């Protein structure tokens, strides 16, 4: 990317960063195991003009978010927990550590992504700001280097997340899902069959990953590590990571060993991780042979596992999944971290309108939503390209 937005020539530049919907492979990216998300046709835009100093100042078009202003440096102090500006600071600190000192900019942010909905609005912000800094300073990054750097960068906010979101937002491909492996990071685009429709529905329960939800998220990361260490020790495996374990042993053997070596809670967490990884493999095969029903069945099994074994669903998400299946979806499950947020459903194009109407009638109308808000909470997501930078002509 080139240095391009000098205030001297008055050039304004825009970064467009999509959100993402994960089709399957939930809560396994931080265990190094492959996932299958898509970048979607909703996202955020960062429109910026460079400045002569290191100050970044951002305003959001959404008035709920107050302006953010700070100087780029290798140690940027955090704002209050849960504050949106921390995602802006996260990108700034990481890039300064990698390539500083750097020049800042004035930016305006506009988003079409619902906040705290499990659609990666936070990672879209990290990626959007990072690409703005990169463009403003004429930096060069290999795509995978940047995906890894920004996954690490976002941990600044206190969540021990994996790398799915940043990789998807940067690497999205129009019409494709991405099979993303993390050990090493490899993105394999898989064509989504033309007749498949991906429906996103908000449970209307915010899934803010700050406070209690963050503690639960980080606790799951730790529980997975503990389960892995115990099973690897029992098997005499020297390298305790999930990828190696799955290469050397069948899931059924690992689950048997886990049953003997782990308490009930850790065994259930372990079982979710292993069976979800197998479901990703099955889902890729189903997508390749255009098997909508087979793919849908795996989504339903994923939801059961997330609800029973991983305990990251909630009553509204469960109800919305049931509503979607009753309305004709081939499969439905929570998407993203859970604890609220959205359900992703898969349906054939011919059944899609009927599904949308029935979900609206059964889930949203009883909750008092007005028709004009419908497309905010219930929509078809198109698999889309990743983030990009473009110059704005006045
Ligand atoms: P969301 O839904 O965007 O909060 C989080 C993690 C992902 C992944 C999913 C669960 C971050 C930035 N994102 O996503 O890495 O672990 O939960 O599959 O922490």
């Amino acid at each position: 990317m080139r240095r391009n937005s000098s205030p001297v020539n008055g050039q304004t530049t825009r970064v467009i960063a999509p959100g993402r919907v994960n089709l399957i492979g939930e809560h396994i990216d931080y265990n190094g195991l492959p996932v299958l998300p898509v970048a979607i046709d909703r996202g955020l835009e960062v429109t910026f003009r460079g400045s002569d100093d290191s100050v970044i100042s951002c305003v959001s078009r959404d008035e709920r978010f107050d302006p953010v202003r700070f100087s780029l440096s290798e140690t940027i102090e955090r704002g209050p927990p849960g504050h949106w500006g921390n995602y802006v600071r996260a990108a700034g600190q990481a890039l300064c550590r990698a390539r500083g000192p750097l020049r800042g900019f004035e930016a305006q942010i506009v988003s079409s992504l619902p906040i705290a909905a499990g659609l990666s609005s936070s990672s879209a912000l990290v990626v959007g700001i990072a690409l703005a800094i990169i463009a403003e300073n004429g930096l060069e990054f290999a795509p995978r280097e940047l995906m890894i750097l920004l996954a690490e960068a976002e941990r600044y906010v206190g969540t021990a997340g994996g790398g799915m979101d940043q990789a998807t937002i940067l690497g999205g491909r129009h019409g494709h899902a991405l099979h993303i492996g993390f050990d090493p990071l490899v993105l394999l685009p898989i064509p989504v069959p033309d007749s498949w429709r991906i429906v996103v529905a908000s449970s209307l329960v915010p899934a803010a990953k700050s406070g209690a939800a963050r503690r639960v998220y980080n606790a799951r990361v730790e529980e997975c590590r503990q389960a892995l260490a115990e099973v690897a020790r029992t098997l005499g495996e020297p390298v305790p990571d999930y990828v190696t374990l799955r290469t050397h042993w069948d899931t059924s053997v690992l689950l048997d060993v886990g049953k003997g070596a782990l308490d009930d809670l850790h065994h259930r967490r372990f079982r979710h991780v292993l069976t979800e990884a197998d479901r990703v493999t099955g889902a890729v095969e189903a997508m390749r042979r255009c098997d909508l029903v087979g793919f849908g069945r795996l989504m339903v099994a994923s939801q059961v596992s997330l609800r029973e074994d991983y305990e990251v669903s909630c009553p509204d998400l469960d109800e919305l999944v049931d509503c979607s299946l009753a309305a004709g979806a081939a499969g439905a499950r929570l998407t993203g971290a859970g604890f609220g947020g959205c359900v992703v459903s898969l349906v054939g194009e011919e059944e899609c309108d009927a599904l949308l109407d029935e979900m609206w009638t059964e889930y949203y109308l009883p909750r008092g939503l007005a028709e004009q808000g419908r497309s905010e909470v219930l929509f078809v997501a198109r698999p889309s390209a990743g983030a990009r930078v473009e110059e704005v002509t006045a």
Side-chain angles (χ1 to χ4, degrees):
M1 263 159 250
R2 61 193 185 78
R3 186 183 186 119
N4 54 8
S5 61
S6 152
V8 177
N9 65 17
Q11 182 62 57
T12 303
T13 308
R14 178 160 53 218
V15 181
I16 297 166
R20 70 97 187 91
V21 170
N22 190 16
L23 298 180
I24 196 155
E26 217 62 85
H27 282 278
I28 59 174
D29 60 344
Y30 50 75
N31 292 310
L33 295 169
V35 295
L36 191 65
V38 297
I40 62 172
D41 51 338
R42 294 193 181 201
L44 62 80
E45 291 182 8
V46 180
T47 306
F48 67 95
R49 288 171 70 120
S51 64
D52 287 332
D53 56 23
S54 62
V55 174
I56 285 194
S57 72
C58 290
V59 291
S60 169
R61 178 87 67 77
D62 184 333
E63 285 170 1
R64 286 172 298 173
F65 301 110
D66 51 347
V68 172
R69 191 180 159 84
F70 62 93
S71 276
L72 284 166
S73 79
E74 288 187 27
T75 311
I76 300 172
E77 207 175 311
R78 279 185 201 80
H83 194 281
W84 75 286
N86 286 339
Y87 296 97
V88 181
R89 294 181 175 93
Q93 177 172 289
L95 286 169
C96 274
R97 286 185 178 180
R99 302 288 172 85
L102 300 171
R103 268 204 332 265
F105 50 72
E106 288 181 11
Q108 189 191 55
I109 293 160
V110 182
S111 176
S112 59
L113 282 173
I115 310 297
L119 302 180
S120 275
S121 57
S122 58
S123 299
L125 184 54
V126 172
V127 170
I129 294 293
L131 290 183
I133 296 171
I134 288 168
E136 176 54 29
N137 288 276
L139 307 176
E140 301 274 348
F141 280 91
R144 285 194 309 162
E145 180 189 9
L146 190 59
M147 291 169 188
I148 293 166
L149 183 91
L150 295 185
E152 183 60 43
E154 196 167 332
R155 297 191 189 115
Y156 171 92
V157 305
T159 308
M164 165 169 69
D165 301 346
Q166 303 80 6
T168 311
I169 291 164
L170 284 163
R173 173 93 67 94
H174 177 75
H176 291 70
L178 300 173
H179 180 266
I180 307 177
F182 297 96
D183 190 19
L185 181 62
V186 176
L187 279 69
L188 182 64
I190 319 262
V192 177
D194 284 347
S195 61
W196 290 18
R197 293 291 174 269
I198 297 164
V199 171
V200 174
S202 167
S203 67
L204 309 177
V205 177
K209 256 196 328 26
S210 54
R214 174 176 298 152
R215 278 195 295 283
V216 177
Y217 184 96
N218 289 347
R220 292 291 177 278
V221 176
E222 192 49 38
E223 288 157 5
C224 289
R225 280 196 195 126
Q226 291 162 348
L228 171 70
E230 194 53 37
V231 170
R233 202 182 55 76
T234 309
L235 286 167
E237 276 281 355
V239 187
D241 72 76
Y242 278 97
V243 176
T244 310
L245 217 58
R246 285 185 78 242
T247 312
H248 292 176
W249 308 87
D250 284 344
T251 299
S252 57
V253 174
L254 291 172
L255 290 180
D256 273 355
V257 172
K259 203 166 176 61
L262 302 171
D263 60 27
D264 177 61
L265 181 141
H266 285 86
H267 180 241
R268 285 186 293 119
R269 306 296 190 247
F270 189 64
R271 183 165 60 192
H272 168 73
V273 172
L274 294 178
T275 58
E276 185 75 351
D278 287 351
R279 283 186 287 272
V280 171
T281 310
V284 170
E285 288 163 8
M287 189 172 273
R288 286 199 188 285
R289 58 172 195 270
C290 299
D291 176 3
L292 181 85
V293 172
F295 196 108
R297 214 176 281 130
L298 292 163
M299 292 173 83
V300 172
S302 170
Q303 172 65 19
V304 172
S305 182
L306 288 161
R307 187 184 68 220
E308 303 294 323
D309 279 353
Y310 221 65
E311 298 180 282
V312 290
S313 192
C314 66
D316 293 73
L317 281 170
D318 295 340
E319 185 188 332
L320 188 53
V321 166
D322 290 346
C323 168
S324 169
L325 295 173
R333 52 183 290 283
L334 69 84
T335 187
F339 321 110
C342 286
V343 162
V344 57
S345 305
L346 191 64
V347 65
E349 62 177 332
E350 313 235 303
E351 292 80 40
C352 188
D353 285 346
L355 175 101
L356 292 168
D357 286 345
E358 192 170 331
M359 289 181 80
W360 177 252
T361 307
E362 296 299 322
Y363 191 84
Y364 297 100
L365 284 186
R367 287 168 168 80
L369 264 75
E371 184 67 34
Q372 62 267 31
R374 178 167 162 164
S375 64
E376 296 287 305
V377 295
L378 180 64
F379 58 92
V380 175
R382 311 272 172 197
S384 298
R388 60 192 186 279
V389 182
E390 54 188 39
E391 305 214 330
V392 181
T393 41

